[in-house]
């Protein structure tokens, strides 16, 4: 996907801001909660469902409609959620290292922001990323590398190398497809 100069600038600004802000201040143990699954109610547009792990999920009609739970969040956080939807094809191959694989059943960094994108375009958003600096950093770093033309394999390798020590166990994320 080709990025405009403005999109690259926004990604760069977000990268710098997140790098400087660090994590949410909570230890991985404090961030972990009991695992939970979405109920059918989360799949109704505009309806919020709180999972047993504390995450909130909400469905919207498309990736262009952000969930209501973001209204009280900063514009930077809203931008990262919009960005995560735009690079969902990248984030589904990038693991998260905050512990959400065990605590929330996430399979990739994408699940920190989006539980699923249904065939009809409905998006089930997850608010996990609103409380976790590790999730945010990984998403922004991955989007930045993608905008620079890096391959999925190169992005995955860079994230795995950076977060392999000192962070929680990664989500059970599939490897990117072989590049042709």
């Amino acid at each position: 996907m080709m990025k405009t100069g403005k999109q690259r600038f926004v990604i760069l600004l977000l990268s710098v801001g997140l790098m400087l802000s660090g994590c949410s201040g909570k230890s991985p143990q404090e961030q972990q909660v009991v695992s939970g699954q979405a109920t059918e109610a989360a799949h109704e547009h505009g309806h919020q469902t709180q999972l047993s792990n504390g995450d909130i999920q909400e469905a919207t009609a498309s990736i262009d409609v952000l969930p209501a739970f973001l209204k009280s969040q900063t514009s930077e956080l809203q931008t990262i959620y919009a960005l995560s939807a735009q690079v969902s094809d990248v984030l589904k191959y990038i693991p998260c290292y905050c512990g959400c694989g065990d605590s929330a059943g996430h399979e990739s960094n994408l699940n920190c922001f989006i539980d699923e994108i249904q065939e009809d375009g409905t998006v089930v958003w997850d608010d996990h990323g609103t409380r976790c600096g590790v999730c945010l950093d990984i998403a922004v770093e991955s989007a930045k590398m993608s905008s620079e033309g890096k391959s999925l394999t190169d992005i995955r390798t860079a994230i795995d190398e950076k977060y392999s020590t000192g962070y929680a166990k990664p989500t059970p994320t599939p490897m990117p497809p072989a590049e042709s």
Side-chain angles (χ1 to χ4, degrees), residues 12 25 48 57 67-69 80 85 89 92 108 112 126 132 140 142 145 154 157 169 174 177:
L12 181 61
Q48 291 185 355
Q57 291 188 340
F69 65 70
I80 294 170
D89 56 331
K92 71 182 179 182
S108 70
C112 301
D126 193 300
C132 184
V140 171
S142 298
M145 286 186 269
D154 289 343
T157 300
K169 183 175 89 173

Side-chain angles (χ1 to χ4, degrees), residues 46 48 58 60 66-73 125:
Q48 291 185 355
E58 179 182 340
T60 65
L66 292 175
F69 65 70
L70 288 177
K71 287 187 171 142
S72 63
Q73 300 293 336
W125 301 89

Side-chain angles (χ1 to χ4, degrees), residues 22-153:
C23 198
S24 63
K26 293 183 179 179
S27 70
Q29 293 79 17
E30 291 173 314
Q31 291 177 7
Q32 291 181 0
V33 289
V34 179
S35 179
Q37 299 297 319
T39 64
E40 290 301 314
H43 300 264
E44 297 172 18
H45 292 207
H47 182 83
Q48 291 185 355
T49 298
Q50 185 160 7
L51 305 179
S52 61
N53 70 357
D55 288 355
I56 294 172
Q57 291 188 340
E58 179 182 340
T60 65
S62 72
I63 63 169
D64 298 321
V65 181
L66 292 175
F69 65 70
L70 288 177
K71 287 187 171 142
S72 63
Q73 300 293 336
T74 65
S75 62
E76 290 84 4
L77 198 58
Q78 292 173 22
T79 301
I80 294 170
Y81 264 78
L83 182 65
S84 72
Q86 292 173 8
V87 295
S88 62
D89 56 331
V90 172
L91 296 184
K92 71 182 179 182
Y93 294 111
I94 306 301
C96 189
Y97 284 83
C98 78
C100 62
D102 290 335
S103 68
H106 290 176
E107 295 180 8
S108 70
N109 183 247
L110 178 62
N111 296 141
C112 301
F113 309 95
I114 296 175
D115 181 60
E116 72 174 311
I117 300 174
Q118 300 174 351
E119 283 188 32
D120 69 356
T122 297
V123 177
V124 179
W125 301 89
D126 193 300
D127 82 330
H128 181 87
T130 65
R131 298 177 306 284
C132 184
V134 173
C135 302
L136 297 170
D137 287 346
I138 290 171
V140 171
E141 291 169 32
S142 298
K144 181 177 182 289
M145 286 186 269
S146 178
S147 75
E148 294 168 346
K150 303 248 192 246
S151 71
L152 285 173
T153 302

